[in-house]
Short mmCIF file of all heavy atoms in Angstrom, two decimals:
data_model
loop_
_atom_site.label_atom_id
_atom_site.label_comp_id
_atom_site.label_asym_id
_atom_site.label_seq_id
_atom_site.Cartn_x
_atom_site.Cartn_y
_atom_site.Cartn_z
N ARG A 278 0.59 -29.10 2.15
CA ARG A 278 1.42 -30.03 1.51
C ARG A 278 0.83 -30.71 0.27
O ARG A 278 1.09 -31.91 -0.06
CB ARG A 278 1.96 -31.09 2.50
CG ARG A 278 2.73 -30.51 3.68
CD ARG A 278 3.22 -31.60 4.58
NE ARG A 278 3.96 -31.05 5.70
CZ ARG A 278 4.60 -31.71 6.66
NH1 ARG A 278 4.62 -33.04 6.58
NH2 ARG A 278 5.26 -31.10 7.59
N VAL A 279 0.03 -29.94 -0.40
CA VAL A 279 -0.59 -30.41 -1.67
C VAL A 279 0.31 -29.85 -2.77
O VAL A 279 0.04 -28.86 -3.38
CB VAL A 279 -2.04 -29.97 -1.84
CG1 VAL A 279 -2.62 -30.60 -3.06
CG2 VAL A 279 -2.86 -30.37 -0.59
N TYR A 280 1.43 -30.56 -3.03
CA TYR A 280 2.49 -29.96 -3.77
C TYR A 280 2.17 -29.85 -5.30
O TYR A 280 2.74 -28.87 -5.91
CB TYR A 280 3.81 -30.78 -3.57
CG TYR A 280 4.33 -30.65 -2.15
CD1 TYR A 280 4.84 -31.72 -1.47
CD2 TYR A 280 4.36 -29.43 -1.50
CE1 TYR A 280 5.30 -31.61 -0.18
CE2 TYR A 280 4.82 -29.29 -0.21
CZ TYR A 280 5.26 -30.39 0.45
OH TYR A 280 5.76 -30.25 1.75
N ASP A 281 1.38 -30.70 -5.85
CA ASP A 281 1.03 -30.50 -7.26
C ASP A 281 0.33 -29.16 -7.45
O ASP A 281 0.56 -28.47 -8.46
CB ASP A 281 0.17 -31.64 -7.75
CG ASP A 281 0.99 -32.96 -7.96
OD1 ASP A 281 2.20 -32.84 -8.07
OD2 ASP A 281 0.38 -34.01 -8.00
N SER A 282 -0.55 -28.86 -6.58
CA SER A 282 -1.32 -27.61 -6.65
C SER A 282 -0.37 -26.43 -6.41
O SER A 282 -0.50 -25.30 -6.98
CB SER A 282 -2.46 -27.59 -5.71
OG SER A 282 -3.42 -28.51 -6.08
N VAL A 283 0.59 -26.55 -5.49
CA VAL A 283 1.55 -25.51 -5.21
C VAL A 283 2.32 -25.15 -6.49
O VAL A 283 2.47 -24.00 -6.92
CB VAL A 283 2.53 -25.94 -4.12
CG1 VAL A 283 3.64 -24.87 -3.94
CG2 VAL A 283 1.84 -26.14 -2.80
N ILE A 284 2.79 -26.19 -7.19
CA ILE A 284 3.56 -26.02 -8.40
C ILE A 284 2.73 -25.33 -9.48
O ILE A 284 3.13 -24.42 -10.16
CB ILE A 284 4.12 -27.41 -8.91
CG1 ILE A 284 5.17 -27.91 -7.94
CG2 ILE A 284 4.71 -27.26 -10.31
CD1 ILE A 284 5.57 -29.35 -8.15
N PHE A 285 1.44 -25.75 -9.57
CA PHE A 285 0.53 -25.16 -10.54
C PHE A 285 0.39 -23.66 -10.32
O PHE A 285 0.57 -22.89 -11.28
CB PHE A 285 -0.81 -25.83 -10.45
CG PHE A 285 -1.88 -25.24 -11.36
CD1 PHE A 285 -1.94 -25.60 -12.72
CD2 PHE A 285 -2.78 -24.30 -10.85
CE1 PHE A 285 -2.86 -24.99 -13.53
CE2 PHE A 285 -3.70 -23.71 -11.67
CZ PHE A 285 -3.78 -24.09 -13.04
N TYR A 286 0.10 -23.26 -9.08
CA TYR A 286 -0.13 -21.85 -8.83
C TYR A 286 1.11 -21.01 -8.86
O TYR A 286 1.15 -19.86 -9.29
CB TYR A 286 -0.91 -21.68 -7.54
CG TYR A 286 -2.34 -22.02 -7.69
CD1 TYR A 286 -2.89 -23.12 -7.06
CD2 TYR A 286 -3.22 -21.31 -8.52
CE1 TYR A 286 -4.23 -23.50 -7.20
CE2 TYR A 286 -4.54 -21.65 -8.69
CZ TYR A 286 -5.00 -22.73 -8.03
OH TYR A 286 -6.38 -23.11 -8.20
N ALA A 287 2.29 -21.63 -8.45
CA ALA A 287 3.50 -20.90 -8.53
C ALA A 287 3.89 -20.61 -9.97
O ALA A 287 4.32 -19.48 -10.33
CB ALA A 287 4.65 -21.78 -7.87
N ASN A 288 3.64 -21.57 -10.86
CA ASN A 288 3.90 -21.35 -12.27
C ASN A 288 2.95 -20.33 -12.88
O ASN A 288 3.29 -19.58 -13.77
CB ASN A 288 3.83 -22.68 -13.02
CG ASN A 288 5.11 -23.55 -12.84
OD1 ASN A 288 6.14 -23.02 -12.67
ND2 ASN A 288 4.91 -24.84 -12.75
N ARG A 289 1.71 -20.28 -12.39
CA ARG A 289 0.75 -19.26 -12.89
C ARG A 289 1.24 -17.86 -12.48
O ARG A 289 1.15 -16.92 -13.30
CB ARG A 289 -0.68 -19.50 -12.27
CG ARG A 289 -1.36 -20.73 -12.68
CD ARG A 289 -1.73 -20.85 -14.13
NE ARG A 289 -0.62 -21.18 -14.96
CZ ARG A 289 -0.09 -22.43 -15.08
NH1 ARG A 289 -0.58 -23.41 -14.35
NH2 ARG A 289 0.92 -22.65 -15.84
N ILE A 290 1.79 -17.71 -11.27
CA ILE A 290 2.36 -16.42 -10.90
C ILE A 290 3.53 -16.05 -11.79
O ILE A 290 3.65 -14.93 -12.25
CB ILE A 290 2.78 -16.43 -9.37
CG1 ILE A 290 1.56 -16.68 -8.48
CG2 ILE A 290 3.48 -15.13 -9.03
CD1 ILE A 290 1.97 -17.03 -7.05
N LEU A 291 4.42 -17.06 -12.03
CA LEU A 291 5.60 -16.74 -12.81
C LEU A 291 5.32 -16.44 -14.24
O LEU A 291 6.04 -15.74 -14.99
CB LEU A 291 6.57 -17.91 -12.75
CG LEU A 291 7.25 -18.08 -11.41
CD1 LEU A 291 8.00 -19.44 -11.29
CD2 LEU A 291 8.20 -16.90 -11.11
N GLU A 292 4.14 -16.91 -14.76
CA GLU A 292 3.70 -16.52 -16.11
C GLU A 292 3.36 -15.02 -16.15
O GLU A 292 3.65 -14.35 -17.15
CB GLU A 292 2.47 -17.30 -16.53
CG GLU A 292 2.79 -18.78 -16.84
CD GLU A 292 1.48 -19.58 -17.08
OE1 GLU A 292 0.40 -18.91 -17.01
OE2 GLU A 292 1.56 -20.82 -17.24
N GLN A 293 2.85 -14.50 -15.03
CA GLN A 293 2.53 -13.05 -15.02
C GLN A 293 3.74 -12.22 -14.56
O GLN A 293 3.95 -11.12 -15.08
CB GLN A 293 1.37 -12.88 -13.92
CG GLN A 293 0.15 -13.61 -14.23
CD GLN A 293 -0.58 -13.18 -15.48
OE1 GLN A 293 -0.61 -11.97 -15.75
NE2 GLN A 293 -1.14 -14.09 -16.22
N GLU A 294 4.53 -12.77 -13.66
CA GLU A 294 5.71 -12.03 -13.13
C GLU A 294 6.96 -12.95 -13.22
O GLU A 294 7.34 -13.61 -12.22
CB GLU A 294 5.48 -11.64 -11.65
CG GLU A 294 4.23 -10.78 -11.44
CD GLU A 294 4.44 -9.39 -11.98
OE1 GLU A 294 5.59 -8.98 -12.21
OE2 GLU A 294 3.45 -8.62 -12.13
N PRO A 295 7.58 -13.04 -14.34
CA PRO A 295 8.69 -14.04 -14.55
C PRO A 295 9.85 -13.91 -13.61
O PRO A 295 10.58 -14.86 -13.41
CB PRO A 295 9.13 -13.80 -16.03
CG PRO A 295 7.97 -13.07 -16.66
CD PRO A 295 7.32 -12.28 -15.58
N ASN A 296 10.12 -12.74 -13.04
CA ASN A 296 11.25 -12.52 -12.16
C ASN A 296 10.88 -12.42 -10.71
O ASN A 296 11.67 -11.91 -9.88
CB ASN A 296 12.02 -11.25 -12.60
CG ASN A 296 12.71 -11.45 -13.95
OD1 ASN A 296 13.16 -12.55 -14.30
ND2 ASN A 296 12.76 -10.41 -14.73
N ASP A 297 9.69 -12.87 -10.33
CA ASP A 297 9.26 -12.83 -8.94
C ASP A 297 9.93 -13.91 -8.24
O ASP A 297 9.66 -15.11 -8.47
CB ASP A 297 7.71 -12.95 -8.90
CG ASP A 297 7.15 -12.71 -7.49
OD1 ASP A 297 7.99 -12.80 -6.52
OD2 ASP A 297 5.99 -12.53 -7.35
N LYS A 298 10.75 -13.62 -7.28
CA LYS A 298 11.59 -14.59 -6.54
C LYS A 298 10.79 -15.40 -5.57
O LYS A 298 11.16 -16.52 -5.21
CB LYS A 298 12.73 -13.89 -5.85
CG LYS A 298 13.73 -13.23 -6.78
CD LYS A 298 14.80 -12.49 -5.97
CE LYS A 298 15.80 -11.77 -6.90
NZ LYS A 298 16.79 -11.03 -6.12
N GLU A 299 9.67 -14.88 -5.11
CA GLU A 299 8.90 -15.57 -4.03
C GLU A 299 8.38 -16.90 -4.51
O GLU A 299 8.55 -17.92 -3.88
CB GLU A 299 7.83 -14.63 -3.48
CG GLU A 299 7.23 -15.06 -2.16
CD GLU A 299 6.26 -16.23 -2.27
OE1 GLU A 299 5.59 -16.38 -3.34
OE2 GLU A 299 6.12 -16.98 -1.24
N PRO A 300 7.64 -16.95 -5.69
CA PRO A 300 7.21 -18.29 -6.14
C PRO A 300 8.36 -19.19 -6.52
O PRO A 300 8.28 -20.42 -6.42
CB PRO A 300 6.31 -17.97 -7.33
CG PRO A 300 6.69 -16.58 -7.76
CD PRO A 300 7.10 -15.89 -6.46
N MET A 301 9.46 -18.62 -7.00
CA MET A 301 10.64 -19.47 -7.29
C MET A 301 11.16 -20.11 -5.97
O MET A 301 11.55 -21.32 -6.00
CB MET A 301 11.79 -18.59 -7.86
CG MET A 301 11.55 -18.05 -9.23
SD MET A 301 12.96 -17.06 -9.75
CE MET A 301 12.23 -16.16 -11.19
N LEU A 302 11.17 -19.37 -4.89
CA LEU A 302 11.61 -19.95 -3.62
C LEU A 302 10.66 -21.04 -3.17
O LEU A 302 11.11 -22.12 -2.68
CB LEU A 302 11.66 -18.85 -2.56
CG LEU A 302 12.14 -19.23 -1.21
CD1 LEU A 302 13.60 -19.65 -1.23
CD2 LEU A 302 11.93 -18.08 -0.18
N THR A 303 9.36 -20.86 -3.40
CA THR A 303 8.41 -21.89 -3.03
C THR A 303 8.69 -23.17 -3.82
O THR A 303 8.63 -24.31 -3.29
CB THR A 303 6.96 -21.43 -3.27
OG1 THR A 303 6.75 -20.23 -2.48
CG2 THR A 303 5.96 -22.44 -2.85
N LEU A 304 8.87 -23.05 -5.12
CA LEU A 304 9.17 -24.20 -5.99
C LEU A 304 10.44 -24.91 -5.52
O LEU A 304 10.45 -26.14 -5.46
CB LEU A 304 9.32 -23.75 -7.44
CG LEU A 304 8.07 -23.36 -8.22
CD1 LEU A 304 8.38 -22.78 -9.55
CD2 LEU A 304 7.09 -24.53 -8.28
N ALA A 305 11.49 -24.16 -5.19
CA ALA A 305 12.72 -24.81 -4.67
C ALA A 305 12.42 -25.62 -3.45
O ALA A 305 12.96 -26.73 -3.28
CB ALA A 305 13.75 -23.69 -4.40
N ARG A 306 11.66 -25.04 -2.53
CA ARG A 306 11.28 -25.79 -1.30
C ARG A 306 10.46 -27.04 -1.57
O ARG A 306 10.64 -28.08 -0.94
CB ARG A 306 10.58 -24.84 -0.37
CG ARG A 306 11.48 -23.78 0.22
CD ARG A 306 10.70 -22.72 0.96
NE ARG A 306 11.58 -21.85 1.71
CZ ARG A 306 11.17 -20.72 2.33
NH1 ARG A 306 9.90 -20.36 2.29
NH2 ARG A 306 12.10 -19.91 2.96
#
Side-chain angles (χ1 to χ4, degrees):
R278 300 183 180 184
V279 185
Y280 292 137
D281 285 341
S282 294
V283 175
I284 293 170
F285 174 83
Y286 285 112
N288 284 324
R289 295 294 78 75
I290 297 169
L291 289 170
E292 287 173 4
Q293 302 293 321
E294 302 287 344
N296 292 326
D297 188 343
K298 296 177 183 177
E299 198 282 333
M301 293 181 193
L302 183 65
T303 303
L304 286 173
R306 289 170 171 172

